[in-house]
Amino acid sequence: QSALTQPASVSGSPGQSITISCTGTGSDVGAYDYVSWYQQHPGKAPKLIIYDVTNRPSGVSNRFSGSKSGNTASLTISGLQAEDEAIYYCSSYTRSTTLGFGTGTSVTV
Amino acid sequence: QVQLQESGPGLVKPSQTLSLTCTVSGDSINSGGFYWSWIRQHPGKGLEWIGYMYYSGRTYYNPSLKGRVTISGDTSKNQFSLKLSSVTAADTAVYYCARDLAGATAGVGYFQLWGQGIMVIVSS
């Protein structure tokens, strides 16, 4: 079970938009719309910010948006703020009835 | 308000069995519809799904853990547990318990509620 591939780091200036990619295969990201994204600040548990590729849980800022094309999912953070500095992980359901996480992307503002 | 809290030893000797418990408050583990999960994070590394238990008791595990994992529930205490056998230093990690997002498809990795995590070190 291989981890989904994410860029190690992405940076942007306050107010800008950034996009984080999550590349899987036809057995996970490409096979299902069960893609989610998590935000993790140091020393804290991850927080779910996107599910079903594009949906936001209640209370999550609309500056976070998700999309998918083929085997690659993406998370876009618009209007970048200092509080967005964190590590972001994608996750996908897989054909083998398991769950995989991405390698993680450190976002610097 | 639903809360999850991990508990267990913070130090386990190599070759022994790691045992952790997640106590759930504000919800019942057999109320139906949710998967109750264990996830771990090696120091400075990414997340790894360990497995989960459905309220009916059915379980699913990460095949990479090669049969060392058992997740079970105790409805009388409203807890679910993780047992990981034959541990090595590679099992040193922060272990989290988690629950699905309410109102969404269950069992597909939408972990809405998390415990604070418990650090477990495997060392002699």
Side-chain angles (χ1 to χ4, degrees):
Chain A
Q1 184 184 17
S2 299
L4 307 173
T5 302
Q6 298 180 232
S9 62
V10 174
S11 63
S13 301
Q16 286 186 333
S17 293
I18 60 170
T19 297
I20 302 168
S21 61
C22 169
T23 302
T25 68
S27 294
D28 40 58
V29 176
Y32 304 96
D33 285 337
Y34 296 139
V35 175
S36 53
W37 289 89
Y38 295 85
Q39 176 193 62
Q40 187 178 33
H41 288 110
K44 301 293 187 181
K47 174 186 177 183
L48 178 67
I49 57 173
I50 294 288
Y51 69 100
D52 283 350
V53 179
T54 61
N55 292 343
R56 286 185 305 277
S58 175
V60 173
S61 171
N62 59 9
R63 296 186 299 103
F64 296 97
S65 61
S67 63
K68 191 184 88 166
S69 178
N71 296 339
T72 298
S74 298
L75 172 72
T76 297
I77 309 175
S78 58
L80 206 57
Q81 299 179 0
E83 67 203 50
D84 300 330
E85 196 160 285
I87 298 178
Y88 292 81
Y89 296 95
C90 62
S91 176
S92 176
Y93 185 71
T94 78
R95 285 196 192 280
S96 54
T97 319
T98 58
L99 304 173
F101 284 101
T103 50
T105 299
S106 177
V107 169
T108 302
V109 180
Chain B
Q1 182 181 359
V2 182
Q3 294 185 317
L4 289 75
Q5 177 70 59
E6 305 90 351
S7 60
L11 180 65
V12 181
K13 288 182 167 51
S15 80
Q16 293 190 341
T17 295
L18 179 160
S19 295
L20 297 176
T21 296
C22 183
T23 300
V24 180
S25 58
D27 191 11
S28 170
I29 65 169
N30 65 353
S31 62
F34 293 119
Y35 284 77
W36 302 90
S37 301
W38 287 96
I39 297 148
R40 69 181 181 179
Q41 186 167 33
H42 296 101
K45 301 295 184 181
L47 301 166
E48 180 182 25
W49 174 72
I50 297 171
Y52 53 38
M53 178 192 79
Y54 195 46
Y55 78 101
S56 63
R58 189 169 184 180
T59 53
Y60 299 85
Y61 302 130
N62 188 329
S64 69
L65 292 170
K66 298 176 183 175
R68 297 192 294 129
V69 182
T70 302
I71 296 174
S72 60
D74 184 339
T75 55
S76 67
K77 296 180 180 179
N78 212 35
Q79 298 173 333
F80 64 105
S81 300
L82 168 70
K83 292 188 185 301
L84 182 64
S85 63
S86 305
V87 297
T88 69
D91 295 307
T92 293
V94 174
Y95 287 77
Y96 294 100
C97 57
R99 195 207 78 180
D100 283 333
L101 172 67
T105 304
V108 294
Y110 302 159
F111 306 113
Q112 178 191 31
L113 300 176
W114 296 69
Q116 64 185 27
I118 183 169
M119 179 70 197
V120 178
I121 297 171
V122 178
S123 175
S124 57

